[in-house]
Amino acid sequence: MKRWIALIFLLIAVIMLAYIFQVPQPENIKPLGEFYLENSYFGDYSAKSPEVVTSILWDYRGIDTLFETAVFFLAIIGSLTIFRLTKEQEKEVKKEPTQVESLPLPIRTVTKVIVVMILAVSASIALHGHLTPGGGFQGGSALAVAPLLIIAAYSKYALEEHGLDKTRALILRSIGLLGIALVALVPLLSGGFIMQNQPIFPAEIGGQLISGSLIYYNLFEFLAVGAGFTAVFLLLSIPEEKFKKILGVKK
Amino acid sequence: MSVLFYIGALLIVIGGICDLFGALGLLKFPNFYVRLHAATVGTIGGAVVPLFGVALLALGADFLPHRYAIAGASFITGIIVLLAAPAGAHALAYAAHKAKLVEWKPKVDHLKEVRE
């Protein structure tokens, strides 16, 4: 009964506070918002991206986004450092145990279908980043679910046999990072500022709206985030016994 | 308002009832496997059926803008859930059976060889 009284009191308090501190309704657009709207979509130096948020994120607040990306990469590098192994240990970890048990057939079949769908959807999220909500990071996170599902339904060895091991994932991730850095630096060469979008990159190619540098940023971020997550998932799926063997833990 | 609209609305109501029964079962059923059955009633009956219902309802609603897009998206999502939910439940049941975590008294045990 006491809990009910507390709950009702809390509810009343929340409703009262919400009633008292009403958010003032904006009567007109604030000057900063007006500037962004006019210059990110309509202006001569805009990326002509209907998804203005992406445009603002990569152009007007580009450095901020660059450092956000850097934070994510530091996290990945940190986990790779924790799980670092020598060459022999890598080989030991990659060696497949004699009998790998996998889940029953229906689960594996459904996983195959779903993985293909996830790949398609994640690519669509990333490549539509300048047209619809979403973008590189979201697409990359969706992409990382595909290897995770394969690890769960088959095993990490199935992924490595088909060529996606930790080294390859790291190479893909580095390509993505390098791409982002290069796209950010290209405007400097032609007299612009760092991470400036127009008019250095064309807004349209062959009648298709690609919104200048936004599509490149999204593509490379997609690659980098997806591959970075995959590398971490591959490390996390190393069996515990192998690590105990490597570390020399006595039972 | 066509017949499709009413069929769709009916499917959504059925979905709501399935969700309610699924939730009740999850709370009241005695062990893991039967509860898993209740959870699957919640996902198939409570998510797939209403999604198909939304698709039909959108097709039947003439006043709705972008109704074909809404119907297509709901239908595809329904199919994906219809594929994924049984596989997920299967994996859970298989794992619980293999790990011998759940005590049970079966009448028929088709997965007997898995335990050994």
Side-chain angles (χ1 to χ4, degrees), chain A residues 202-219:
Chain A
E204 286 182 3
I205 288 181
Q208 287 292 314
L209 182 71
I210 61 160
S211 293
S213 61
L214 294 182
I215 193 164
Y216 307 115
Y217 281 133
N218 277 332
L219 189 64

PDB file of all heavy atoms in Angstrom, chain A residues 202-219:
ATOM      1  N   PRO A 202      30.554  17.997 -56.235  1.00  0.00           N
ATOM      2  CA  PRO A 202      29.315  18.249 -56.983  1.00  0.00           C
ATOM      3  C   PRO A 202      28.097  17.735 -56.218  1.00  0.00           C
ATOM      4  O   PRO A 202      28.155  16.699 -55.563  1.00  0.00           O
ATOM      5  CB  PRO A 202      29.522  17.460 -58.276  1.00  0.00           C
ATOM      6  CG  PRO A 202      30.499  16.402 -57.923  1.00  0.00           C
ATOM      7  CD  PRO A 202      31.387  16.960 -56.861  1.00  0.00           C
ATOM      8  N   ALA A 203      26.994  18.501 -56.301  1.00  0.00           N
ATOM      9  CA  ALA A 203      25.776  18.093 -55.601  1.00  0.00           C
ATOM     10  C   ALA A 203      25.062  16.980 -56.350  1.00  0.00           C
ATOM     11  O   ALA A 203      24.373  16.159 -55.762  1.00  0.00           O
ATOM     12  CB  ALA A 203      24.841  19.276 -55.417  1.00  0.00           C
ATOM     13  N   GLU A 204      25.217  16.964 -57.666  1.00  0.00           N
ATOM     14  CA  GLU A 204      24.538  15.934 -58.460  1.00  0.00           C
ATOM     15  C   GLU A 204      25.520  15.326 -59.441  1.00  0.00           C
ATOM     16  O   GLU A 204      26.379  16.018 -59.980  1.00  0.00           O
ATOM     17  CB  GLU A 204      23.375  16.552 -59.251  1.00  0.00           C
ATOM     18  CG  GLU A 204      22.189  16.898 -58.385  1.00  0.00           C
ATOM     19  CD  GLU A 204      21.051  17.449 -59.217  1.00  0.00           C
ATOM     20  OE1 GLU A 204      21.197  17.501 -60.459  1.00  0.00           O
ATOM     21  OE2 GLU A 204      20.036  17.820 -58.616  1.00  0.00           O
ATOM     22  N   ILE A 205      25.396  14.027 -59.658  1.00  0.00           N
ATOM     23  CA  ILE A 205      26.180  13.379 -60.710  1.00  0.00           C
ATOM     24  C   ILE A 205      25.201  12.631 -61.588  1.00  0.00           C
ATOM     25  O   ILE A 205      24.471  11.762 -61.115  1.00  0.00           O
ATOM     26  CB  ILE A 205      27.230  12.414 -60.133  1.00  0.00           C
ATOM     27  CG1 ILE A 205      28.366  13.199 -59.470  1.00  0.00           C
ATOM     28  CG2 ILE A 205      27.800  11.542 -61.228  1.00  0.00           C
ATOM     29  CD1 ILE A 205      29.455  12.339 -58.890  1.00  0.00           C
ATOM     30  N   GLY A 206      25.155  13.002 -62.848  1.00  0.00           N
ATOM     31  CA  GLY A 206      24.261  12.332 -63.796  1.00  0.00           C
ATOM     32  C   GLY A 206      22.803  12.442 -63.416  1.00  0.00           C
ATOM     33  O   GLY A 206      22.047  11.493 -63.578  1.00  0.00           O
ATOM     34  N   GLY A 207      22.423  13.603 -62.851  1.00  0.00           N
ATOM     35  CA  GLY A 207      21.024  13.801 -62.488  1.00  0.00           C
ATOM     36  C   GLY A 207      20.632  13.178 -61.171  1.00  0.00           C
ATOM     37  O   GLY A 207      19.520  13.363 -60.711  1.00  0.00           O
ATOM     38  N   GLN A 208      21.550  12.440 -60.555  1.00  0.00           N
ATOM     39  CA  GLN A 208      21.253  11.831 -59.261  1.00  0.00           C
ATOM     40  C   GLN A 208      21.801  12.725 -58.153  1.00  0.00           C
ATOM     41  O   GLN A 208      22.962  13.126 -58.182  1.00  0.00           O
ATOM     42  CB  GLN A 208      21.916  10.454 -59.149  1.00  0.00           C
ATOM     43  CG  GLN A 208      21.271   9.400 -59.981  1.00  0.00           C
ATOM     44  CD  GLN A 208      19.891   9.037 -59.495  1.00  0.00           C
ATOM     45  OE1 GLN A 208      19.683   8.850 -58.313  1.00  0.00           O
ATOM     46  NE2 GLN A 208      18.937   8.964 -60.405  1.00  0.00           N
ATOM     47  N   LEU A 209      20.950  13.026 -57.193  1.00  0.00           N
ATOM     48  CA  LEU A 209      21.365  13.868 -56.068  1.00  0.00           C
ATOM     49  C   LEU A 209      22.270  13.063 -55.142  1.00  0.00           C
ATOM     50  O   LEU A 209      21.852  12.039 -54.602  1.00  0.00           O
ATOM     51  CB  LEU A 209      20.136  14.356 -55.313  1.00  0.00           C
ATOM     52  CG  LEU A 209      20.411  15.282 -54.135  1.00  0.00           C
ATOM     53  CD1 LEU A 209      20.872  16.630 -54.627  1.00  0.00           C
ATOM     54  CD2 LEU A 209      19.179  15.429 -53.283  1.00  0.00           C
ATOM     55  N   ILE A 210      23.534  13.482 -55.021  1.00  0.00           N
ATOM     56  CA  ILE A 210      24.411  12.779 -54.080  1.00  0.00           C
ATOM     57  C   ILE A 210      24.883  13.704 -52.959  1.00  0.00           C
ATOM     58  O   ILE A 210      25.601  13.286 -52.063  1.00  0.00           O
ATOM     59  CB  ILE A 210      25.611  12.135 -54.778  1.00  0.00           C
ATOM     60  CG1 ILE A 210      26.451  13.192 -55.465  1.00  0.00           C
ATOM     61  CG2 ILE A 210      25.175  11.073 -55.753  1.00  0.00           C
ATOM     62  CD1 ILE A 210      27.841  12.698 -55.733  1.00  0.00           C
ATOM     63  N   SER A 211      24.476  14.982 -53.030  1.00  0.00           N
ATOM     64  CA  SER A 211      24.724  15.916 -51.937  1.00  0.00           C
ATOM     65  C   SER A 211      26.194  16.061 -51.571  1.00  0.00           C
ATOM     66  O   SER A 211      26.575  15.972 -50.415  1.00  0.00           O
ATOM     67  CB  SER A 211      23.939  15.520 -50.694  1.00  0.00           C
ATOM     68  OG  SER A 211      22.578  15.668 -50.938  1.00  0.00           O
ATOM     69  N   GLY A 212      27.022  16.279 -52.592  1.00  0.00           N
ATOM     70  CA  GLY A 212      28.412  16.621 -52.325  1.00  0.00           C
ATOM     71  C   GLY A 212      29.145  15.568 -51.532  1.00  0.00           C
ATOM     72  O   GLY A 212      29.135  14.393 -51.861  1.00  0.00           O
ATOM     73  N   SER A 213      29.758  16.011 -50.436  1.00  0.00           N
ATOM     74  CA  SER A 213      30.614  15.091 -49.677  1.00  0.00           C
ATOM     75  C   SER A 213      29.804  14.186 -48.772  1.00  0.00           C
ATOM     76  O   SER A 213      30.340  13.226 -48.228  1.00  0.00           O
ATOM     77  CB  SER A 213      31.615  15.889 -48.851  1.00  0.00           C
ATOM     78  OG  SER A 213      30.912  16.716 -47.951  1.00  0.00           O
ATOM     79  N   LEU A 214      28.501  14.473 -48.586  1.00  0.00           N
ATOM     80  CA  LEU A 214      27.737  13.717 -47.590  1.00  0.00           C
ATOM     81  C   LEU A 214      27.725  12.228 -47.908  1.00  0.00           C
ATOM     82  O   LEU A 214      27.866  11.386 -47.013  1.00  0.00           O
ATOM     83  CB  LEU A 214      26.299  14.237 -47.522  1.00  0.00           C
ATOM     84  CG  LEU A 214      26.139  15.660 -47.001  1.00  0.00           C
ATOM     85  CD1 LEU A 214      24.681  16.015 -46.932  1.00  0.00           C
ATOM     86  CD2 LEU A 214      26.767  15.795 -45.651  1.00  0.00           C
ATOM     87  N   ILE A 215      27.567  11.881 -49.194  1.00  0.00           N
ATOM     88  CA  ILE A 215      27.478  10.455 -49.535  1.00  0.00           C
ATOM     89  C   ILE A 215      28.810   9.758 -49.281  1.00  0.00           C
ATOM     90  O   ILE A 215      28.853   8.611 -48.833  1.00  0.00           O
ATOM     91  CB  ILE A 215      26.999  10.269 -50.981  1.00  0.00           C
ATOM     92  CG1 ILE A 215      26.602   8.814 -51.199  1.00  0.00           C
ATOM     93  CG2 ILE A 215      28.036  10.670 -51.996  1.00  0.00           C
ATOM     94  CD1 ILE A 215      25.790   8.578 -52.413  1.00  0.00           C
ATOM     95  N   TYR A 216      29.925  10.480 -49.512  1.00  0.00           N
ATOM     96  CA  TYR A 216      31.237   9.859 -49.242  1.00  0.00           C
ATOM     97  C   TYR A 216      31.428   9.625 -47.752  1.00  0.00           C
ATOM     98  O   TYR A 216      31.879   8.573 -47.327  1.00  0.00           O
ATOM     99  CB  TYR A 216      32.360  10.726 -49.791  1.00  0.00           C
ATOM    100  CG  TYR A 216      32.198  11.084 -51.242  1.00  0.00           C
ATOM    101  CD1 TYR A 216      32.000  12.396 -51.632  1.00  0.00           C
ATOM    102  CD2 TYR A 216      32.201  10.098 -52.214  1.00  0.00           C
ATOM    103  CE1 TYR A 216      31.833  12.732 -52.958  1.00  0.00           C
ATOM    104  CE2 TYR A 216      32.022  10.421 -53.540  1.00  0.00           C
ATOM    105  CZ  TYR A 216      31.842  11.738 -53.905  1.00  0.00           C
ATOM    106  OH  TYR A 216      31.661  12.057 -55.205  1.00  0.00           O
ATOM    107  N   TYR A 217      31.078  10.663 -46.973  1.00  0.00           N
ATOM    108  CA  TYR A 217      31.184  10.513 -45.523  1.00  0.00           C
ATOM    109  C   TYR A 217      30.359   9.328 -45.040  1.00  0.00           C
ATOM    110  O   TYR A 217      30.814   8.501 -44.255  1.00  0.00           O
ATOM    111  CB  TYR A 217      30.697  11.779 -44.818  1.00  0.00           C
ATOM    112  CG  TYR A 217      31.675  12.909 -44.800  1.00  0.00           C
ATOM    113  CD1 TYR A 217      31.278  14.196 -45.131  1.00  0.00           C
ATOM    114  CD2 TYR A 217      32.989  12.697 -44.426  1.00  0.00           C
ATOM    115  CE1 TYR A 217      32.162  15.242 -45.116  1.00  0.00           C
ATOM    116  CE2 TYR A 217      33.887  13.739 -44.410  1.00  0.00           C
ATOM    117  CZ  TYR A 217      33.470  15.016 -44.757  1.00  0.00           C
ATOM    118  OH  TYR A 217      34.350  16.047 -44.733  1.00  0.00           O
ATOM    119  N   ASN A 218      29.111   9.249 -45.530  1.00  0.00           N
ATOM    120  CA  ASN A 218      28.222   8.173 -45.091  1.00  0.00           C
ATOM    121  C   ASN A 218      28.779   6.814 -45.467  1.00  0.00           C
ATOM    122  O   ASN A 218      28.766   5.876 -44.672  1.00  0.00           O
ATOM    123  CB  ASN A 218      26.834   8.351 -45.707  1.00  0.00           C
ATOM    124  CG  ASN A 218      25.989   9.311 -44.923  1.00  0.00           C
ATOM    125  OD1 ASN A 218      26.170   9.452 -43.726  1.00  0.00           O
ATOM    126  ND2 ASN A 218      25.083   9.976 -45.583  1.00  0.00           N
ATOM    127  N   LEU A 219      29.283   6.713 -46.699  1.00  0.00           N
ATOM    128  CA  LEU A 219      29.806   5.434 -47.186  1.00  0.00           C
ATOM    129  C   LEU A 219      30.995   4.981 -46.342  1.00  0.00           C
ATOM    130  O   LEU A 219      31.055   3.830 -45.877  1.00  0.00           O
ATOM    131  CB  LEU A 219      30.214   5.590 -48.651  1.00  0.00           C
ATOM    132  CG  LEU A 219      30.578   4.320 -49.389  1.00  0.00           C
ATOM    133  CD1 LEU A 219      29.365   3.414 -49.469  1.00  0.00           C
ATOM    134  CD2 LEU A 219      31.065   4.641 -50.781  1.00  0.00           C
TER     135      LEU A 219
END
